[in-house]
Amino acid sequence: MKEDTISALEVVDVQGSSSATTSMPGVFVWGIVAICVIPFLLTLAGFDFGSHAEKFDMAEMAQASGPAQVDAMFNRLPGAFAHALLEWTAFCAAIFTVLLAFSQFRMTGDITTPIIGMALFCAGCMDAFHTLAAARLITAEASNQDLIPFTWAICRIFNAMIMIIGVSLFLRKDFNFRLAGVPFLIGTSVLFMVLAYAIISYCANSASLPQTQYPDSLITRPYDVIPLVLFAFAGLYLYPKFYRKVPSLFAHALIISAIPEVVVELHMAFGSSALFDSHFNIAHFLKIIAYVVPFLGLMLDYIRTYREQQQAHEALEISQTELELQAGKLKIINEELTTSNAELEQFAYIASHDLQEPLRTVTSFLQLLERDCKEKVSDDGKKYIDFAVDGSMRMKQLIEGLLGVSRVGTSDQEMVATDTGEILQAVINTMHESIERSAAVIQYDELPTLHVDENQLHQLFQNLIGNAIKYCDGTAPKIVVSAEQVDGVWQFSVADNGIGMSSKHYSRIFQIFQRLHGREEYSGVGIGLAICKKIVERHAGRIWVESTVGEGSTFYFTINESTSARLSAVG
Amino acid sequence: MEVLLVEDNPADQMLAQQAFKDANTPCTLNIVADGEQAMMYLRNIDQYKNANRPKLILLDLNMPKMDGHEVLEAVKTDPELAGIPVVILTTSSNPKDVKSCYAAHANSYVRKPADMNEFTDAVRDLEHYWFDVVSLP
């Protein structure tokens, strides 16, 4: 017997409870083993757990008083009462187990628990029938002498079989845990109950049942060898396989429950030779333990799950508070940025606006000076004045450029649905002089109607086409304007056959006051493309260029209506 | 041809005088330095008792005490003075200023060119337009 217990232990992985939440605490396992072994040790030491009936003298009893007679009858039946108590306790444990299993199922959706819980419950029902029949609370055809041992044997075999069937359901390779739901649960439960009922019916209605008790043999109850083998098989092979497939506290508890089950069978198969003797009562007691172990597994699972949920909930609350804090901070920073940005733009605008007045004074009086002092001033002096006037003219251009750029941002013009083709045509009309002078040809496809700032788009086209005309090397400029949808966003292109540029300048040209040529080569301040970039950005788009030196450049820009609408609504 | 220039900056006053001289216009340029003085001139108050009614008002916008917008408002809402054409003459290119001046019934809006020659041309054009092309009341 001890060998079986130890080998069962080898299978059981006795771990500390802290590591995984899928194995019972080591203390618990050793406790169960101890409970299984101690009664046997005690019998070796001489303890007798049997129920002994007091002798009954019919003649004496006839003389005794009513209560005395009842007492005597009670004293005749201590075994039966003890048996009923023990069996009924086991049945109650089975009821609690199945209730808890179904509650677990509702919480976790894990189908294995209620199915096995149902199997345990059906086995418990069989035990209940066995108890009620033994206590003569339900009438059965056969006598107790045969009924109790036979139904016991049937119950044990049924218990082992139903557990093996229940667990094997989940070991099928193709078992789909996700598809198995309430219908599967109901179907299997009904099947189990039908099986149990059929067997109970047979037992209750058979007048003669096979003998199961052989007091003089070594194996006093041979029918108990079958469940012994079955439970050993389940505990050593089937339950561990199940645990590997579905690791959980409940599955682990099942493995452990095999220990008392096997010990029960050992006591009954080799120990008990009569009803209600020492080994009989020990076995019935250990059967309660066998039912309680899975129940405790479920309880522990419940407690651990609840605790984990609590911790997770608390952690979630903490991180939520932190997130709200961060969001609040971000909002403040965003507001500060928006304000600072608006202030900067306003500043640039006002500065360039107010700078124009004194600039005009300087330029104009320099010119008057030049005129008035033409005779009085030396040639060098004339040159000085020329350079001074030139400088102030340049400053005027720079300030006007700066003003142009900052005006893009401070514009509060609404985005209105406009035909971009019409805007392009208006630009061509505005520029007709320079177009004629350079013999430029401008082609354009059908252009879409979009929500844009009309003035700004006009400026954008004007700058791009102006550049295309300006930066050409003598051949008549040919400009093609087109638009297409790319990833749901409209992408425009303005292609020319001008002087082109090297790729290393691609990003430089969009910066304020950055130019690729001197003032003598091509006029300009370096503001046109910077303004284009700001306009495109106001429309939530991008602008970029692709070019080949000597062949021409194509400027691309995108307009994102949905984002620009959101942006203009904000600021 | 009496023209009233309302301009606070002495440099700009001088530039305007020079421009009118260079443009060889037959106009007489009268200058007042701020809006209040302008109203007194137009209504012949105090030292301006004997001032002639100008045929054209050239009005700067940025002035202390009473700025150009207020003068424009005052002139155009006064039935006596509303008939005098008012040309805004300013360095501001702000579209908001342009819009509000025209809305207040300014007759036209001219940006003062930085270049002296351009200014002279503009004055010549102004004089030609308002006194040769256009009929005044």
Side-chain angles (χ1 to χ4, degrees):
Chain A
M1 183 166 62
K2 263 203 179 155
E3 290 91 23
D4 287 346
T5 321
I6 291 172
S7 56
L9 271 179
E10 279 165 2
V11 170
V12 166
D13 196 11
V14 179
Q15 304 174 10
S17 60
S18 53
S19 49
T21 51
T22 56
S23 58
M24 302 295 280
V27 164
F28 177 78
V29 180
W30 286 111
I32 297 298
V33 169
I35 293 175
C36 291
V37 166
I38 285 173
F40 175 70
L41 296 176
L42 287 174
T43 53
L44 288 181
F47 274 83
D48 185 3
F49 294 99
S51 313
H52 301 289
E54 283 191 13
K55 286 286 182 225
F56 193 76
D57 190 324
M58 283 294 279
E60 257 185 61
M61 278 307 110
Q63 302 297 323
S65 63
Q69 282 182 344
V70 174
D71 274 348
M73 282 190 268
F74 267 98
N75 289 333
R76 212 43 201 117
L77 302 167
F81 290 130
H83 175 249
L85 272 173
L86 290 171
E87 287 281 7
W88 203 252
T89 312
F91 177 55
C92 290
I95 293 178
F96 286 134
T97 308
V98 78
L99 288 175
L100 198 57
F102 274 87
S103 173
Q104 244 255 23
F105 172 62
R106 269 197 61 200
M107 224 170 52
T108 63
D110 179 7
I111 197 84
T112 59
T113 329
I115 297 270
I116 295 172
M118 207 53 206
L120 281 168
F121 177 66
C122 287
C125 287
M126 288 280 283
D127 289 334
F129 162 70
H130 159 78
T131 315
L132 292 172
R136 293 277 156 201
L137 287 169
I138 47 179
T139 36
E141 293 292 327
S143 73
N144 244 9
Q145 189 71 15
D146 289 328
L147 182 71
I148 296 181
F150 182 73
T151 50
W152 162 267
I154 289 295
C155 282
R156 294 309 289 156
I157 296 172
F158 178 81
N159 192 333
M161 283 308 300
I162 200 83
M163 288 302 287
I164 288 171
I165 292 172
V167 168
S168 300
L169 279 174
F170 300 111
L171 288 179
R172 273 174 31 226
K173 274 205 177 60
D174 54 349
F175 186 80
N176 193 332
F177 281 89
R178 274 182 292 121
L179 284 184
V182 174
F184 175 74
L185 175 61
I186 293 176
T188 325
S189 305
V190 166
L191 177 70
F192 288 167
M193 287 196 284
V194 162
L195 260 166
Y197 181 74
I199 296 173
I200 288 172
S201 270
Y202 169 74
C203 294
N205 295 320
S206 298
S208 71
L209 299 168
Q211 185 186 1
T212 54
Q213 214 164 262
Y214 296 91
D216 304 315
S217 322
L218 173 65
I219 305 174
T220 48
R221 295 173 190 272
Y223 275 78
D224 275 281
V225 175
I226 304 172
L228 171 65
V229 169
L230 288 173
F231 277 120
F233 163 72
L236 291 171
Y237 173 72
L238 207 68
Y239 291 161
K241 198 164 171 208
F242 174 63
Y243 177 65
R244 271 194 293 277
K245 188 161 185 194
V246 186
S248 69
L249 276 173
F250 182 61
H252 195 238
L254 278 181
I255 302 176
I256 298 169
S257 72
I259 301 173
E261 297 280 27
V262 163
V263 173
V264 162
E265 296 313 316
L266 288 172
H267 275 287
M268 290 300 273
F270 299 103
S272 168
S273 50
L275 288 179
F276 315 131
D277 65 5
S278 186
H279 286 280
F280 185 93
N281 286 343
I282 293 173
H284 278 72
F285 166 70
L286 289 177
K287 198 170 79 165
I288 302 172
I289 303 296
Y291 275 111
V292 163
V293 166
F295 174 74
L296 288 178
L298 277 177
M299 277 292 292
L300 209 61
D301 201 351
Y302 222 81
I303 293 172
R304 281 199 185 154
T305 311
Y306 178 71
R307 210 183 287 147
E308 276 170 16
Q309 273 192 352
Q310 276 291 86
Q311 284 173 341
H313 190 75
E314 275 168 24
L316 199 70
E317 274 191 8
I318 291 173
S319 64
Q320 198 166 340
T321 321
E322 262 189 40
L323 268 172
E324 279 174 11
L325 214 76
Q326 294 287 33
K329 280 190 195 158
L330 270 172
K331 193 164 170 249
I332 291 174
I333 291 175
N334 199 34
E335 280 171 3
E336 282 174 3
L337 273 173
T338 312
T339 314
S340 134
N341 206 36
E343 279 179 1
L344 274 170
E345 285 195 343
Q346 197 70 359
F347 175 75
Y349 179 84
I350 291 171
S352 34
H353 185 255
D354 292 335
L355 286 171
Q356 289 188 320
E357 170 77 55
L359 182 64
R360 185 173 164 272
T361 311
V362 167
T363 315
S364 305
F365 280 107
L366 273 173
Q367 286 174 319
L368 283 177
L369 188 70
E370 186 183 38
R371 217 178 44 188
D372 278 7
C373 308
K374 220 192 289 236
E375 297 81 44
K376 301 172 203 150
V377 159
S378 64
D379 282 340
D380 275 351
K382 289 200 188 86
K383 280 209 192 98
Y384 299 156
I385 295 177
D386 276 341
F387 281 129
V389 170
D390 198 45
S392 57
M393 280 308 187
R394 281 226 345 112
M395 195 155 129
K396 173 173 172 275
Q397 282 182 313
L398 290 171
I399 291 176
E400 276 172 358
L402 213 65
L403 204 61
V405 170
S406 60
R407 240 190 228 143
V408 175
T410 53
S411 161
D412 51 5
Q413 184 103 340
E414 269 182 40
M415 306 277 188
V416 176
T418 330
D419 184 348
T420 52
E422 276 181 23
I423 297 180
L424 182 60
Q425 188 55 53
V427 167
I428 294 173
N429 294 342
T430 312
M431 299 177 71
H432 78 273
E433 256 190 57
S434 58
I435 291 173
E436 274 173 34
R437 223 181 312 127
S438 61
V441 172
I442 304 179
Q443 276 182 307
Y444 60 98
D445 304 332
E446 191 142 335
L447 297 178
T449 298
L450 297 172
H451 281 81
V452 294
D453 181 330
E454 197 182 323
N455 293 334
Q456 290 188 349
L457 204 68
H458 185 110
Q459 201 171 3
L460 174 61
F461 276 134
Q462 194 163 338
N463 287 357
L464 289 176
I465 291 180
N467 280 355
I469 293 176
K470 180 161 67 172
Y471 292 100
C472 69
D473 55 359
T475 44
K478 183 161 174 280
I479 306 165
V480 179
V481 182
S482 64
E484 59 173 347
Q485 271 203 310
V486 174
D487 292 336
V489 160
W490 277 100
Q491 183 176 299
F492 290 77
S493 66
V494 178
D496 66 52
N497 60 343
I499 58 174
M501 73 190 91
S502 127
S503 59
K504 60 183 179 194
H505 299 310
Y506 279 0
S507 54
R508 226 179 112 210
I509 53 174
F510 292 103
Q511 291 173 25
I512 298 182
F513 300 146
Q514 289 295 325
R515 304 193 69 221
L516 302 179
H517 306 93
R519 281 183 295 135
E520 292 75 41
E521 296 174 78
Y522 297 99
S523 66
V525 184
I527 214 81
L529 286 174
I531 290 182
C532 290
K533 182 160 178 267
K534 269 219 119 183
I535 291 174
V536 164
E537 278 165 7
R538 187 156 176 269
H539 289 79
R542 290 195 309 127
I543 184 167
W544 70 100
V545 65
E546 278 164 32
S547 177
T548 316
V549 175
E551 286 180 23
S553 315
T554 306
F555 282 83
Y556 298 94
F557 65 91
T558 58
I559 290 181
N560 190 335
E561 279 189 286
S562 48
T563 319
S564 69
R566 274 193 288 122
L567 282 177
S568 61
V570 167
Chain B
M1 305 293 188
E2 304 265 345
V3 175
L4 176 66
L5 172 66
V6 188
E7 169 65 65
D8 65 314
N9 188 342
D12 281 324
Q13 289 174 356
M14 195 167 176
L15 286 173
Q17 278 176 318
Q18 189 67 40
F20 269 83
K21 205 161 89 181
D22 293 341
N24 257 321
T25 64
C27 307
T28 312
L29 188 64
N30 303 297
I31 302 178
V32 289
D34 60 60
E36 271 184 20
Q37 301 243 333
M39 296 318 295
M40 283 164 65
Y41 184 99
L42 291 168
R43 291 181 174 137
N44 296 111
I45 299 171
D46 286 348
Q47 70 260 45
Y48 300 110
K49 242 190 324 205
N50 301 315
N52 290 325
R53 210 178 123 114
K55 288 282 185 188
L56 180 70
I57 300 175
L58 297 174
L59 183 58
D60 184 25
L61 284 181
N62 295 325
M63 292 186 294
K65 278 195 257 172
M66 190 181 176
D67 79 356
H69 294 281
E70 292 169 48
V71 173
L72 178 62
E73 178 98 24
V75 167
K76 289 299 174 181
T77 50
D78 185 339
E80 286 277 319
L81 306 171
I84 309 174
V86 177
V87 173
I88 306 291
L89 194 64
T90 179
T91 46
S92 168
S93 54
N94 191 342
K96 283 199 187 100
D97 282 333
V98 177
K99 207 170 170 182
S100 64
C101 286
Y102 276 107
H105 309 293
N107 293 76
S108 53
Y109 188 106
V110 175
R111 263 199 71 205
K112 288 188 223 171
D115 186 281
M116 196 57 215
N117 298 323
E118 281 179 34
F119 192 29
T120 311
D121 287 339
V123 165
R124 202 178 290 127
D125 287 337
L126 267 172
E127 184 265 340
H128 175 65
Y129 177 77
W130 284 106
F131 297 123
D132 294 334
V133 178
V134 159
S135 308
L136 291 172

